[in-house]
Amino acid sequence: LSLVRAVSARADDELDRLLETLQLTEFIYEQPAVGDIEYSFKHALTQDVAYNSVLTERRKLLHQRAADGIEGLFAGQLEDHLDELARHYARSPDNAKAVKYSRLAAQQAAQRLAYDEAVGHLTNGLELLRGLPNDSERARKELELQLSLLESLRWTTGMGSEEVGRTLLRARE
């Protein structure tokens, strides 16, 4: 609820009415959470329809607000929200933060031995890196991502795989 309030540009009483209407019509459910309230869609299809009905530019803005809201609300616990931050920033116009949080989420996944997840975050980070200015800082970030990807691919595909070979060649470049 606190994140919805941070993202929404509506007054609290208006937002409460809207959420209540969504609950009464059974589009969303309210669930107690530690120190807050969580809402979830009754059906994934309802969530998909609602998401896809928002125009692309507005969606990017909402992802930006959500990511900024998470950073503000959970500043002392960002490590608990790295996946969410990576996902929201990846869908926002802020590629620099998207790359940063993709790298951090990948590191966290690798620490949990979730190498497939780490590969996904790193691959996404490398894609997002293309949206940053082509300078020495970008090259440093790409090398860091490529080396991290190499480590995760070692565990998921083996050292002799084509993906590892391509990653090694790109890191060397």
Side-chain angles (χ1 to χ4, degrees):
L1 179 59
S2 56
L3 183 56
V4 171
R5 290 195 194 289
V7 172
S8 173
R10 300 182 185 274
D12 286 351
D13 58 335
E14 180 185 3
L15 183 59
D16 291 339
R17 278 194 313 275
L18 290 170
L19 290 170
E20 185 178 335
T21 300
L22 289 171
Q23 282 181 280
L24 290 172
T25 55
E26 295 189 5
F27 282 107
I28 62 172
Y29 289 125
E30 181 180 311
Q31 300 171 339
V34 178
D36 207 352
I37 297 170
E38 284 187 9
Y39 292 96
S40 61
F41 283 92
K42 181 177 180 180
H43 297 290
L45 185 57
T46 304
Q47 181 178 358
D48 290 343
V49 169
Y51 185 80
N52 291 322
S53 70
V54 178
L55 296 175
T56 304
E57 288 305 310
R58 174 106 173 106
R59 210 179 309 158
K60 286 180 181 182
L61 175 65
L62 291 172
H63 280 293
Q64 179 78 45
R65 284 184 187 168
D68 292 345
I70 291 169
E71 277 187 322
L73 290 168
F74 305 107
Q77 308 159 323
L78 289 182
E79 64 280 350
D80 295 338
H81 302 278
L82 295 176
D83 283 336
E84 295 167 70
L85 287 163
R87 185 179 67 250
H88 284 299
Y89 276 124
R91 293 175 177 161
S92 81
D94 195 337
N95 279 4
K97 282 193 176 182
V99 169
K100 171 187 170 181
Y101 284 113
S102 291
R103 180 182 53 79
L104 291 172
Q107 286 175 341
Q108 188 178 65
Q111 289 171 349
R112 293 189 324 262
L113 307 180
Y115 294 111
D116 284 327
E117 186 180 329
V119 167
H121 284 299
L122 292 164
T123 303
N124 193 40
L126 286 165
E127 284 293 319
L128 293 163
L129 200 60
R130 293 179 183 167
L132 296 179
N134 196 2
D135 58 12
S136 61
E137 180 64 19
R138 176 181 159 186
R140 185 191 63 73
K141 287 178 182 179
E142 182 181 356
L143 178 60
E144 188 176 279
L145 291 172
Q146 293 287 0
L147 293 175
S148 295
L149 179 60
L150 180 64
E151 181 64 24
S152 291
L153 285 172
R154 183 180 80 139
W155 293 103
T156 59
T157 64
M159 281 304 286
S161 73
E162 287 183 38
E163 294 97 333
V164 167
R166 281 194 304 270
T167 304
L168 270 171
L169 285 175
R170 182 60 188 155
R172 193 173 94 192
E173 287 174 12

